[in-house]
Amino acid sequence: MQDIKELTIRELEEKLKSFGANTYHARQILSWIYKKAVLDFGGMSDLAQGLRDKLNENFYISGLEIVKKLKSGDGTKKLLFKLKDGNLIEAVIIPAKDRVTGCVSTQAGCKFACRFCASGLSGFKRNLTCSEIIDEVLYLKKESLAGKLTHLVFMGIGEPLDNYTEVLKAAKIINSPLGLNIGARRITISTSGVIPGIQKLADEGLQIELSVSLHAADDLLRSKLMPINKKYPLTELIKACKDYSAKTNRQITLE
């Protein structure tokens, strides 16, 4: 069985066709999940019982187990989730005057071992699936003030561009009007400097934002802080960033 949140609108329409159902039901199903936060096919009351049964036979809708929740005085919330295989990930809600930003993880653990970051201390476990990333966003939306997220950053545990396919699929669903409908320019992918990922992202034709964790302006110090710099040194990284900006007409944030 497959988590239905793994499917784009087109993929879901094709599945419905194979069931002999009308494709317009795809919009209804996605509205129940992403707009009304209904994660049970039985609760989708405007679908015929036969279709709900068919969905239950072929799909499931995953969720996350909340392990711990911390809240600071400024309203920031940090959430610890347990995945089905027991791995732990974190996500954060960051409220500000005119925005609510969600920060999500893309991997369980991290293989890049930046010296200032705790994410890689226990090593890399695995990539998150698109549906697990979406689960984080749905939970953050439910936990946020008035159930609203205005911005989203892929900046939690893991290196987003090391899990490129799943992160891009999640980003497109998050951006879609039939998904979570967060504007592309309000979605940011943060990277430690994975140049092939930056190059691929430049060719996607998306308006999402790119943020690069720089942390040092010379190779010697950056290599000490961020071992990835030995593979992708600053000269090559800055060139990739300039090429990205030229192709996309988007400004990169350097952290």
Side-chain angles (χ1 to χ4, degrees), residues 102-107 110 112 114 116-117 152-164 167-168 171 187-194 197-198 201 208-215 222 226 228 237 244 252-255:
C103 175
V104 295
S105 296
T106 56
Q107 296 178 315
C110 184
F112 289 84
C114 298
F116 48 81
C117 181
L152 189 81
V153 293
F154 293 91
M155 205 179 287
I157 295 172
E159 164 55 59
L161 295 185
D162 189 49
N163 187 15
Y164 188 91
V167 168
L168 259 288
I187 299 170
T188 300
I189 292 178
S190 177
T191 180
S192 59
V194 179
I198 294 172
L201 191 61
I208 59 178
E209 304 293 334
L210 178 65
S211 179
V212 176
S213 295
L214 201 63
H215 289 286
R222 192 167 191 269
M226 304 177 72
I228 191 174
L237 176 59
Y244 179 93
I252 293 177
T253 302
L254 299 178
E255 300 170 350

Side-chain angles (χ1 to χ4, degrees), residues 28 40 58-59 76 92 94 102 112 135 140 154 186 192 232 234 245:
Q28 291 174 289
D40 174 13
N58 289 272
F59 301 108
T76 300
V92 184
I94 309 164
F112 289 84
D135 284 338
L140 292 183
F154 293 91
R186 296 184 173 192
S192 59
Y232 303 121
L234 277 170
S245 289

